[in-house]
């Protein structure tokens, strides 16, 4: 809108004048139907006023030499409006535009009548769809955040109204997120795509499937790594969203397949028809310790790897128990058991084992195990560590702690790891609720857990099984039997109650009176003794062999007393286990969990 005195002819004027010129408050009617009402100065519109165009467009604001300039408001015939800076009759500077028909609202910077610079645009009246960021001549370009009506959000770089460059997209309803490169609106280049799982109640699992690698036109294509929520990892080549080419698949139990993949299938070799056949077996446990092996002569590397792998496998069960315990610290329960150890929890493990008292700091350890990670990743407390990664880190830590102390350089890595486990990890690392000891150790616990399984000779087969409360409670009772029963022996043995004496291979039973043994007996025991004693005063049922009948009755009473005493001891063991071990251990676990969440340090650190 440009309304200058030279472009319009005043047909009529009403208002103040000075020296025959419009000056002061007045109103003018222009040729063509335009009108102005406001301040004049020396014959020009100058100051505040209202100019109404013949087509209904109205400007109310400041004028300079017949030009709308400064602060003002444009109002269009359909009700749309702009309020803000105006330069030479157009939107220029900072202002807000509102569209009456669509509900679109833009607030931000303008240049020559177009959105340009920083600004926020709401695409609907509900303000559920919006963009906030950089603009270039009415186009989203630069950096900005776009929220869609679906709730999806993109935050990153833009070019010509499309996602282009570095950016993060979150698909709310799909439970997915992508962080990385974009080109013309699709994923293209290096990036990470995560699938965030949700429970039935709508809450999110703490872990997710995650792919990090190359994308081409929105698909996984090229080299990339896929981290499965259950703990498995694939690292290798991709084609059109599928594993295709050379790759390494690490199963959650540490087994590894390294070879060729075709259309998501592991391929062993060509069969008789020249067609690739899927692979059924897998190779060894994955230890990523190349940085250590390079310190050895090439001819010794294979032997070093083989020996340390053997030692690690021997400690596999204990290490898995440690991994499981520490990965749960500070975390809510995961119904699918997909919790991964974080670097924060790894630090907790090292501190519990007093590794930081061995002349090395946690920061130095982070540098030992950094591999190809950048400084942000190695020092982030949220960086996940798969079980094979933990094993590799412990081997690395063991070498840096103890390699100078070893007299022999043969099997050095295995010797260092054995010492770390013996001196530091096993004596100090917490396992499930700190209940395990020399009586109730890992192997004993697994035997209890698998006592009624279909294959009790394979205790490791139960590690991933889910159990009911009944099975869980029976396991607790078995643990109580092992941990507490040995501490409870009957006072002076059960024989002190019954005074069993073996004479000439014949058992003679003498029953003490209640007054003699009250301090050792329960109420049930006294009742049984009274009945047994009263039975002695009864008339024998058999007159022919009274002494044999009496002996039989006493043997039955003694057997009943023994069974009741055994039950009493079992009840005492269960009570002691829950009161002295399980409940205090659970309270300690809760304390550690709260401390981890709050970032506190526990006593003794």
């Amino acid at each position: 809108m440009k309304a200058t005195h030279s472009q319009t002819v005043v047909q009529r004027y009403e208002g103040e004048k000075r020296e025959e010129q419009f000056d002061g408050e007045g109103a003018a009617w222009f040729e063509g139907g335009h009108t102005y009402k406001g301040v004049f100065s020396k014959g020009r519109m100058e100051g505040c006023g209202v100019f109404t165009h013949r087509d209904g467009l109205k400007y109310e604001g400041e004028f300079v030499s017949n030009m709308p300039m400064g602060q003002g408001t444009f109002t269009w015939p359909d009700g749309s409006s702009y309020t803000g800076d105006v330069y030479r009759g157009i939107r220029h500077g900072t202002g807000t535009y509102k569209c009456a028909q669509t509900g679109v609202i833009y607030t931000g910077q303008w240049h020559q009548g177009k959105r340009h610079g920083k600004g926020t645009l709401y695409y609907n009246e509900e303000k559920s769809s919006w963009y906030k960021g950089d603009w270039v001549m009415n186009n989203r370009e630069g950096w900005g955040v776009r929220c869609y009506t679906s709730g999806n959000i993109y935050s990153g770089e833009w070019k010509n109204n499309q996602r282009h460059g570095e950016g993060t997209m979150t698909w709310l309803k799909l439970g997915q997120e992508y962080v990385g490169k974009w080109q013309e609106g699709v994923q293209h280049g290096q990036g990470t795509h995560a699938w965030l799982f949700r429970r039935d109640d709508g809450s999110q699992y703490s872990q997710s499937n995650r792919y990090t690698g190359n994308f081409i036109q929105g698909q996984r294509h090229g080299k990339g790594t896929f981290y499965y929520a259950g703990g498995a990892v694939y690292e290798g080549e991709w084609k059109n969203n599928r594993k295709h080419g050379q790759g390494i698949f690490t199963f959650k139990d540490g087994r590894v397949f390294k070879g060729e993949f075709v259309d998501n299938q592991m391929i062993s070799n060509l069969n008789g028809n020249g067609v690739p056949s899927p692979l059924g077996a897998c190779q060894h446990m994955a230890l990523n310790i190349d940085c250590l092996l390079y310190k050895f002569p090439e001819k010794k590397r294979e032997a070093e790897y083989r020996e340390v792998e053997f030692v690690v496998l021997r400690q596999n069960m204990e290490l898995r128990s440690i991994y499981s315990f520490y990965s749960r610290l500070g975390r809510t329960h995961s119904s699918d058991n997909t919790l991964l150890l974080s670097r924060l929890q790894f630090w907790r493990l090292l501190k519990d084992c007093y590794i930081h008292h061995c002349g090395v700091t946690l920061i130095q350890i982070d540098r030992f195990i950094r591999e190809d990670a950048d400084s942000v990743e190695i020092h982030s407390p949220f960086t996940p560590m798969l079980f094979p990664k933990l094993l590799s880190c412990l081997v690395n830590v063991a070498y840096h702690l103890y390699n100078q102390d070893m007299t022999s350089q043969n099997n050095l890595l295995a010797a260092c790891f054995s010492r770390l486990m013996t001196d530091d990890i096993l004596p100090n690392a917490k396992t499930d609720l700190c209940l395990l000891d020399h009586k109730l150790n890992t192997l004993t616990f697994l035997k209890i857990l698998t006592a009624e399984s279909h294959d009790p000779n394979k205790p490791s087969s139960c590690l991933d099984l889910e159990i009911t409360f009944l099975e869980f409670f029976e396991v607790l009772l078995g643990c109580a039997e092992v941990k507490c029963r040995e501490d409870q022996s009957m006072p002076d043995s059960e024989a002190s109650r019954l005074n069993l004496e073996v004479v000439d291979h014949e058992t003679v039973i003498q029953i003490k009176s209640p007054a003699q043994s009250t301090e050792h007996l329960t109420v049930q025991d006294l009742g049984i003794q009274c009945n047994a004693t009263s039975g002695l005063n009864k008339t024998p049922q058999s007159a022919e062999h009274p002494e044999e009948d009496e002996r039989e009755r006493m043997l039955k009473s003694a057997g009943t007393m023994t069974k009741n005493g055994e039950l009493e001891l079992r009840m005492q063991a269960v009570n002691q286990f829950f009161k002295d071990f399980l409940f205090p251990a659970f309270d300690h676990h809760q304390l550690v969990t709260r401390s981890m969440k709050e970032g506190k340090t526990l006593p003794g650190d």
Side-chain angles (χ1 to χ4, degrees):
M1 169 186 171
K2 293 184 179 180
T4 64
H5 185 69
S6 60
Q7 294 173 328
T8 58
V9 177
V10 177
Q11 292 181 330
R12 182 163 63 96
Y13 173 79
E14 294 179 1
E16 299 175 348
K17 291 184 179 182
R18 179 179 296 180
E19 298 178 357
E20 298 301 321
Q21 291 184 322
F22 310 147
D23 198 286
E25 294 286 344
W29 287 260
F30 299 93
E31 191 178 63
H34 313 307
T35 62
Y36 171 79
K37 184 177 181 179
V39 179
F40 288 84
S41 177
K42 297 180 180 180
R44 294 174 178 271
M45 295 177 286
E46 191 88 29
C48 293
V50 177
F51 188 96
T52 304
H53 200 272
R54 65 187 176 196
D55 61 7
L57 172 62
K58 183 174 71 173
Y59 170 78
E60 181 177 359
E62 298 175 335
F63 286 79
V64 176
S65 297
N66 281 345
M67 285 286 185
M69 189 177 299
Q71 288 289 315
T73 299
F74 285 104
T75 304
W76 282 265
D78 66 353
S80 301
S81 65
Y82 167 83
T83 300
D85 295 332
V86 178
Y87 179 77
R88 299 184 65 82
I90 58 177
R91 294 165 289 185
H92 189 89
T94 301
T96 298
Y97 170 79
K98 298 180 180 179
C99 180
Q101 295 180 342
T102 63
V104 169
I105 299 176
Y106 172 79
T107 299
Q109 295 176 316
W110 297 76
H111 180 78
Q112 297 295 315
K114 296 184 178 181
R115 297 183 294 274
H116 190 91
K118 301 287 186 182
T120 301
L121 179 63
Y122 294 98
Y123 293 90
N124 55 15
E125 293 181 354
E126 297 80 13
K127 295 185 177 181
S128 59
S129 177
W130 50 268
Y131 170 82
K132 182 177 182 180
D134 297 330
W135 295 83
V136 174
M137 303 306 287
N138 272 353
N139 290 326
R140 297 186 295 269
E141 193 154 323
W143 190 93
V145 179
R146 175 76 167 95
C147 178
Y148 300 86
T149 53
S150 61
N152 298 339
I153 294 180
Y154 172 80
S155 174
E157 295 178 308
W158 295 78
K159 184 177 181 180
N160 195 28
N161 280 336
Q162 292 185 315
R163 298 182 289 271
H164 192 96
E166 291 284 347
T168 299
M169 182 76 182
T170 301
W171 293 270
L172 189 64
K173 293 182 179 179
L174 294 178
Q176 298 182 30
E177 182 179 77
Y178 171 79
V179 181
K181 292 282 190 178
W182 295 78
Q183 181 174 300
E184 297 181 351
V186 297
Q187 300 147 291
H188 192 89
Q190 286 293 313
T192 296
H193 193 114
W195 291 259
L196 312 173
F197 300 137
R198 295 189 177 276
R199 301 185 176 93
D200 293 337
D201 61 4
S203 60
Q204 181 178 303
Y205 285 131
S206 58
Q207 299 302 329
S208 62
N209 285 342
R210 188 175 82 257
Y211 169 82
T212 298
N214 197 60
F215 288 82
I216 292 182
Q217 294 299 311
Q219 293 189 322
R220 299 184 293 278
H221 196 98
K223 290 188 177 296
T225 302
F226 199 102
Y227 300 89
Y228 293 85
V233 179
Y234 170 78
E235 181 178 3
E237 297 175 326
W238 294 78
K239 181 179 180 181
N240 299 330
N241 273 346
R242 304 178 77 82
K243 295 182 281 289
H244 194 91
Q246 293 297 312
I248 301 174
F249 194 99
T250 304
F251 294 82
K252 66 179 182 178
D253 61 2
R255 294 175 300 140
V256 175
F257 168 74
K258 182 177 182 180
E260 186 179 1
F261 289 75
V262 174
D263 197 25
N264 268 353
Q265 293 272 351
M266 301 177 189
I267 302 302
S268 58
N269 48 37
L270 298 180
N271 58 26
N273 299 322
V275 179
S277 59
L279 183 78
C282 305
Q283 297 178 4
H284 54 77
M285 175 177 291
L287 286 178
N288 188 0
I289 54 173
D290 290 347
C291 58
L292 296 180
L293 294 176
Y294 286 138
K295 299 178 183 292
F296 296 88
E298 186 173 356
K299 62 181 181 180
K300 296 183 63 176
R301 291 173 187 172
E302 183 178 353
E304 283 288 337
Y305 184 93
R306 186 172 59 252
E307 288 300 321
V308 72
E309 183 184 50
F310 176 72
V311 175
V312 170
L313 285 171
R314 284 170 49 190
Q315 304 285 357
N316 183 56
M317 194 173 297
E318 287 77 8
L319 288 168
R320 283 192 176 279
S321 178
I322 292 171
Y323 183 93
S324 175
F325 175 79
Y326 281 90
S327 65
R328 296 196 305 270
L329 292 180
R331 301 270 185 82
T332 56
H333 172 69
S334 173
S335 60
D336 60 351
N337 295 318
T338 58
L339 295 178
L340 298 183
L341 187 75
S342 68
R343 193 170 292 271
L344 178 65
Q345 294 158 338
F346 176 63
W347 293 334
R348 178 74 265 165
L349 167 63
L350 296 179
K351 293 196 72 175
D352 285 347
C353 298
Y354 304 102
I355 302 301
H356 59 308
H357 292 179
C358 299
V360 61
T361 66
L362 297 183
I363 288 292
Q364 290 174 316
I365 291 176
D366 280 345
R367 296 192 180 108
F368 294 157
I369 64 177
R370 68 177 299 169
E371 297 176 357
D372 297 328
D374 56 31
S375 58
V376 175
E377 182 178 351
I378 65 170
H379 297 310
S380 170
F382 308 110
T383 302
M385 298 180 68
L386 298 172
F387 180 64
K389 172 70 172 179
L390 172 66
L391 301 182
S392 302
C393 289
L394 291 179
V395 173
N396 210 316
V397 170
Y399 173 81
H400 285 90
L401 287 184
Y402 296 122
N403 75 89
Q404 298 295 329
D405 299 342
M406 298 299 165
T407 56
S408 173
Q409 295 299 303
N410 292 327
N411 302 328
L412 181 60
L413 294 181
C416 291
F417 183 79
S418 295
R419 180 168 175 182
L420 178 74
M421 292 297 297
T422 303
D423 295 357
D424 305 301
I425 303 296
L426 295 180
N428 300 304
K430 307 297 188 298
T431 52
D432 290 337
L433 301 180
C434 306
L435 291 176
L436 303 183
D437 56 15
H438 66 285
K439 294 180 181 178
L440 182 62
N441 54 39
T442 304
L443 184 58
T444 305
F445 175 76
L446 288 177
K447 288 181 178 179
I448 296 172
L449 190 60
T450 58
E452 297 183 9
S453 70
H454 67 282
D455 192 0
N457 295 322
K458 293 184 178 180
S460 61
S461 63
C462 69
L463 294 178
D464 293 328
L465 293 180
E466 294 180 336
I467 60 176
T468 63
F469 177 78
L470 172 63
E471 295 167 311
F472 170 69
F473 190 71
E474 288 176 340
V475 170
L476 291 182
L477 294 180
C479 293
E481 185 82 9
V482 172
K483 192 172 183 69
C484 302
R485 186 67 186 276
E486 293 180 4
D487 296 336
Q488 297 181 345
S489 57
M490 289 179 288
D492 298 329
S493 80
E494 187 69 25
S496 64
R497 297 186 187 180
L498 305 178
N499 281 341
L500 296 180
E501 297 179 2
V502 180
V503 180
D504 296 330
H505 305 289
E506 181 178 8
T507 303
V508 179
I509 302 178
Q510 298 176 345
I511 302 180
K512 295 184 179 180
S513 66
Q516 292 176 300
S517 56
T518 301
E519 67 275 15
H520 297 310
L521 301 176
T522 64
V523 175
Q524 292 86 344
D525 293 329
L526 290 174
I528 292 171
Q529 282 199 353
C530 291
N531 292 336
T533 304
S534 61
L536 295 176
N537 298 325
K538 291 183 178 181
T539 303
Q541 294 181 0
S542 174
E544 297 180 2
H545 304 287
E547 66 283 357
E548 293 181 3
D549 293 339
E550 190 64 33
R551 181 184 302 169
E552 183 178 352
R553 284 195 299 272
M554 287 192 294
L555 284 172
K556 290 181 179 180
S557 298
T560 303
M561 292 170 62
T562 302
K563 291 180 180 179
N564 279 273
E566 182 74 12
L567 178 61
E568 180 72 17
L569 286 178
R570 294 191 68 182
M571 293 176 64
Q572 290 176 5
V574 171
N575 180 66
Q576 181 185 357
F577 177 74
F578 278 86
K579 183 179 69 174
D580 297 342
F581 297 101
L582 183 63
F583 292 152
F586 180 75
D587 290 340
H588 176 73
H589 173 73
Q590 294 289 82
L591 174 62
V592 172
T593 299
R594 287 195 299 270
S595 299
M596 291 287 292
K597 288 181 178 179
E598 298 170 3
K600 294 180 179 179
T601 301
L602 295 178
D605 288 348

